[in-house]
Amino acid sequence: MTFRGSVRERRPHRFRRGIRLHPAQAVVVGFAAAVLVGTLLLWLPPMTLEPGGTSFIDALFTSTSAVCVTGLTVVDTELHWSPLGHVVIMVLIQLGGLGIMIFASLIGLVLARKMSVRSRLNTAAEAKAVGYDDLRGLVRGIVLISFAIEGLTWMFLFPRFLFGYDYSPTDAAWHALFHSVSSFNNAGFALYTNNMMDFVADPFICLPMCAAIILGGLGFPVIMQLRKEFSRPLHWSMNTKLVLWGTVVLLVGGTAYLAIAEWNNEGTFGPLSPAAKILAAFFMSTQTRTAGFNNIDVGQMHDESWVVMDVLMFIGGGPAGTAGGIKVTTFAVLFFILLTEFRGEGAVNIFGKRLSRAVHRQAITVALVAVGAVMTAIILLMHLTKLDLDLVAFEAVSAFATVGLSTGITGDLPPSAEIILVVLMFLGRIGPLTLGSAIALRDRRILYELPKERPAVG
């Protein structure tokens, strides 16, 4: 064995009064606290239209779905929750989309005009920031960009609701606001019993929502760089290039496949005009970026369409944004690792840059943990519900990837199955690596190497 020095462990620093959390732990605790507060609020009787309030499990499920910007629902969002309940859900979506640590840092900036070192570490961990030099600018930029995109989406939706559907000015403003926030944050909550099915052929509703969903799914690091260096693509980072290329390929590929597979399906695209079919295919492909709205009946889609959507949902969107899944960058890294192995090359090269070996391990870890979590959930759900594999798999992937699309079985699940989906949504939003590092009490650095040996593979 080759020793590099004495074995040493790095322990989290402690406050003089209490314990300082590791940044990854702080992210997990922050989201858990938001879910708990949201649950208690939605549990209150004034949050529902019917007297008596809602059950604790349904309140927990809805709160988790909103904070984790998923969109799965066990009750009818339009008919079950009161206007006050809708406001609480929208606020939870905004908190979950921005990020608990980012929101907390924003409050600190407003109140104290400064960020502590611990706040910088926590914010950097959630925003996937590389450096800590200008985190105040990063937080301000994220918040301003989020509100700007939501505001722009509102400006498109408001006149359409007002003049196209004869809503009152108040109703049009509220519906435009709720769906703008839900779209940019990739939440998938809608104020209609059938989600967005009434607008399946309306490009003035569907396209602004898709634009907000795609922008939110790119991730804040990509949006920030595009804002500064949009006209200088040679300066774009590997992360930005991977996210943009991956997003385009998956969106176009998903649109083409769904259009072909569902073109003559009388339960989905069949009754629509050719232009509306293309629009519906693009809208549904966009939703697999982890948004979760639906403008057709997902339960009537072909089984093969579900499988393709499972794959698209599992991949998800860009890192450090409002999207879920294993992330486009993780999938791209795995693809280039595979391509390198097929070519017999020694190093993984992407866009003229060599990929760090540490990223290899991280991508493999994220993918394997995600597959393990989803497969475990599928097995448990099948035992608890006795439903078919394709239905259960779609539900589990949708929950883990924080998508919110459903074949229609969510409201009929027993409480035990709801708890499994709650855990999946939370794990999917936090991220397998973040949750794993938060659970680990110590970050160990091994300062020695063991002899190498190669087992037979394949």
Side-chain angles (χ1 to χ4, degrees):
M1 295 186 295
T2 303
F3 289 87
R4 299 177 184 171
S6 59
V7 178
R8 186 180 171 188
E9 294 180 352
R10 294 182 296 172
R11 302 173 183 273
H13 296 290
R14 298 176 181 268
F15 283 113
R16 292 180 180 178
R17 298 178 182 177
I19 300 175
R20 282 186 173 181
L21 295 175
H22 185 281
Q25 290 175 320
V27 173
V28 175
V29 171
F31 271 90
V35 169
L36 177 59
V37 172
T39 301
L40 296 177
L41 288 175
L42 293 175
W43 198 22
L44 298 175
M47 298 298 168
T48 59
L49 292 174
E50 298 295 331
T54 191
S55 68
F56 182 82
I57 293 297
D58 289 349
L60 173 64
F61 191 97
T62 304
S63 176
T64 305
S65 185
V67 173
C68 297
V69 290
T70 304
L72 285 175
T73 57
V74 289
V75 294
D76 190 318
T77 303
E78 179 185 14
L79 302 179
H80 183 82
W81 302 108
S82 67
L84 185 58
H86 291 154
V87 172
V88 170
I89 290 173
M90 186 184 71
V91 172
L92 293 176
I93 290 171
Q94 188 72 80
L95 288 177
L98 280 177
I100 304 303
M101 294 302 105
I102 294 173
F103 181 78
S105 297
L106 174 65
I107 296 299
L109 285 174
V110 172
L111 296 179
R113 298 290 180 179
K114 62 181 179 179
M115 293 176 66
S116 66
V117 174
R118 179 57 48 178
S119 295
R120 293 185 181 188
L121 291 172
N122 293 340
T123 303
E126 186 167 25
K128 299 290 189 297
V130 177
Y132 310 118
D133 295 335
D134 190 27
L135 280 180
R136 287 186 297 180
L138 174 66
V139 170
R140 291 194 185 98
I142 288 175
V143 174
L144 290 176
I145 287 174
S146 299
F147 290 165
I149 295 175
E150 290 169 358
L152 187 61
T153 308
W154 181 91
M155 292 176 63
F156 280 98
L157 296 181
F158 171 69
R160 187 57 178 168
F161 283 130
L162 181 63
F163 301 112
Y165 296 92
D166 295 326
Y167 285 21
S168 68
T170 302
D171 287 343
W174 166 241
H175 281 73
L177 177 62
F178 186 94
H179 294 98
S180 297
V181 172
S182 187
S183 296
F184 176 72
N185 291 287
N186 280 226
F189 278 89
L191 295 177
Y192 309 102
T193 299
N194 59 358
N195 208 273
M196 305 303 294
M197 291 176 62
D198 292 340
F199 309 100
V200 62
D202 190 342
F204 299 102
I205 296 292
C206 292
L207 292 182
M209 292 178 64
C210 285
I213 291 165
I214 293 170
L215 289 173
L218 292 179
F220 292 117
V222 174
I223 297 177
M224 298 287 281
Q225 183 166 44
L226 291 179
R227 185 184 67 165
K228 295 179 180 179
E229 300 179 314
F230 181 79
S231 60
R232 297 188 293 176
L234 293 179
H235 293 186
W236 293 353
S237 67
M238 182 189 296
N239 178 77
T240 297
K241 293 177 181 178
L242 286 176
V243 170
L244 292 178
W245 275 107
T247 298
V248 171
V249 170
L250 294 175
L251 275 176
V252 173
T255 300
Y257 182 87
L258 292 177
I260 295 171
E262 300 292 329
W263 192 269
N264 295 317
N265 185 346
E266 291 300 319
T268 57
F269 294 177
L272 303 175
S273 67
K277 291 178 181 180
I278 299 298
L279 176 63
F282 177 71
F283 187 86
M284 292 306 299
S285 179
T286 303
Q287 305 318 306
T288 62
R289 315 303 302 146
T290 80
F293 294 105
N294 63 281
N295 61 358
I296 59 169
D297 187 351
V298 177
Q300 298 296 318
M301 299 180 76
H302 294 308
D303 292 354
E304 54 269 29
S305 297
W306 288 347
V307 173
V308 171
M309 292 173 72
D310 283 341
V311 175
L312 295 174
M313 291 190 297
F314 189 75
I315 296 172
T322 60
I326 64 171
K327 304 297 187 293
V328 172
T329 47
T330 302
F331 179 76
V333 166
L334 294 174
F335 171 79
F336 281 105
I337 290 175
L338 182 66
L339 191 62
T340 300
E341 289 297 318
F342 284 156
R343 291 175 174 175
E345 299 173 353
V348 179
N349 300 313
I350 305 176
F351 299 126
K353 299 288 183 66
R354 181 167 57 87
L355 192 67
S356 169
R357 290 192 178 275
V359 179
H360 300 197
R361 298 193 300 271
Q362 291 171 358
I364 293 171
T365 301
V366 168
L368 289 180
V369 170
V371 170
V374 171
M375 292 303 300
T376 301
I378 289 174
I379 294 171
L380 293 175
L381 289 172
M382 291 187 70
H383 279 293
L384 293 171
T385 64
K386 307 302 180 183
L387 293 170
D388 293 339
L389 174 61
D390 51 358
L391 297 174
V392 171
F394 192 94
E395 202 79 9
V397 173
S398 180
F400 176 80
T402 68
V403 178
L405 291 172
S406 175
T407 56
I409 66 173
T410 314
D412 299 325
L413 295 176
S416 54
E418 290 183 27
I419 294 298
I420 292 174
L421 293 183
V422 165
V423 174
L424 269 182
M425 288 188 289
F426 190 82
L427 176 61
R429 182 65 180 117
I430 299 302
L433 271 184
T434 302
L435 187 60
S437 59
I439 294 174
L441 296 178
R442 293 176 295 184
D443 182 16
R444 299 182 60 190
R445 176 180 294 179
I446 305 300
L447 301 180
Y448 58 85
E449 291 182 350
L450 297 173
K452 290 183 179 180
E453 185 174 350
R454 295 184 62 177
V457 177

